[in-house]
Amino acid sequence: MLFIYFYCVHQQDLYRTVLLPDCGCNTLHRHRAEEEEDEEGRGNVQHPAHKYSERANKEFVNKEDILSKMVLLQGGWFLMGTDDPGIPQDGEGPQRRVWLDPFYIEEHEVTNLQFQLFTNITHHVTEAERFGDSFVFEGLLSEEVKSTLSHAVAAAPWWAPVKGADWRHPEGPDSSIAHRMDHPVLHVSWADAQVYCEWAGRRLPTEAEWEFACRGGLQDRLYPWGNKLMPRGQHYANLFQGEFPSHNTAEDGFAQTSPVKKFPANAFGLYDMVGNAWEWTADWWSVHHTRDNTHNPKGPETGSDRVKKGGSYMCHKSYCYRYRCAARSQNTPDSSASNLGFRCAADSTP
Ligand SMILES: *[C@@H]1O[C@H](CO)[C@@H](O)[C@H](O)[C@H]1NC(C)=O
Ligand SMILES: [Ca+2]
Ligand SMILES: [Ca+2]
């Protein structure tokens, strides 16, 4: 039980500035106070620890079963970035030598089921829920939701801010996740992802860790499995086929997200590193990198955007050739969208 107490205190410290609402802490604190009073006042009540463990047993059942399996990666030197950038303005280059200490990373994106367990226990309210809207790919909206839209994004008219879109309602109020509990959770901000990983006793991967994990031990290749997008004519990732944005043939089997682990793992045993959902990393965004060797780089000290990696089911070569390990993009940390999720990592030594 201790850990949820620490989690809440920690969360309050971290997020006081962005006013995260009730994380369940108030309830816990109130219980603590009452129990202490009881003990002093009457001296003959059940010990608080006992009550906690009863409650804990009910609430935490299956937590360890539900958290993602992690894969231990040995790190060492690797080549990060590329000298042949697909999208030069994204700061994909130059290619540089990076040393990483061993670390763990989750084998798949955090799923709706996992995020549901987390919110059940912590009562975490996501930023999309607090703001009351989130970005949804317009092609996925029902006619009813479409008729309520006020404005879109000028540079990317296929994105619409939809009232009532959040992780439980990925395409707005009339949608649900009931039939996709094993799909990546969407509409989570960087801060939401951070809080989940903390709760799991983990953390977000740095961009360097994420890219090392993506490359699966291969050097200077485009994709987690090599340079050929479709080896032997097979789809290796959930991407967008057809004419973007109007016509998605879903030749890979999925017009939206897919259940995690539907496509082949890379040589490290990691799934959906490219495609399916974009993934938040810990780093602030910058497009400037030196060629200098670095050890365990953590990105710039400050910034306004956070780095996301891997591309999504919406990526098509014609406009978003970002389903490559070196590719990268960014969002403000409070952003959320119908193609953006995350996975956690951890140090190899506690
Ligand atoms: C979360 O709580 C709901 C409502 O009690 C329950 O139906 C669901 O199974 C819980 N989810 C998890 C993952 O424990
Ligand atoms: Ca697809
Ligand atoms: Ca992914």
Side-chain angles (χ1 to χ4, degrees), residues 238-239 252 254:
N238 182 3
L239 306 173
D252 59 19
F254 302 93

Side-chain angles (χ1 to χ4, degrees), residues 217-285:
L218 299 174
Q219 189 165 307
D220 208 16
R221 295 290 192 277
L222 293 170
Y223 310 116
W225 55 87
N227 272 338
K228 209 172 159 203
L229 182 60
M230 292 180 59
R232 295 173 302 282
Q234 298 295 302
H235 289 282
Y236 272 60
N238 182 3
L239 306 173
F240 190 109
Q241 296 87 36
E243 291 292 317
F244 187 86
S246 56
H247 183 57
N248 187 346
T249 64
E251 194 191 273
D252 59 19
F254 302 93
Q256 307 186 35
T257 54
S258 36
V260 297
K261 302 171 74 166
K262 272 287 167 194
F263 293 84
N266 73 4
F268 287 160
L270 303 171
Y271 295 87
D272 302 298
M273 290 302 294
V274 300
N276 213 12
W278 276 101
E279 300 173 29
W280 287 112
T281 73
D283 296 18
W284 288 111
W285 169 262

Side-chain angles (χ1 to χ4, degrees), residues 67-89:
L67 287 184
S68 294
K69 191 183 134 204
M70 296 208 285
V71 176
L72 176 62
L73 302 182
Q74 290 305 326
W77 287 106
F78 84 107
L79 291 174
M80 183 169 175
T82 174
D83 285 332
D84 185 17
I87 306 180
Q89 64 271 27

Side-chain angles (χ1 to χ4, degrees), residues 66 113 116-117 120:
I66 286 184
L113 183 75
Q116 187 186 64
L117 176 77
N120 278 4

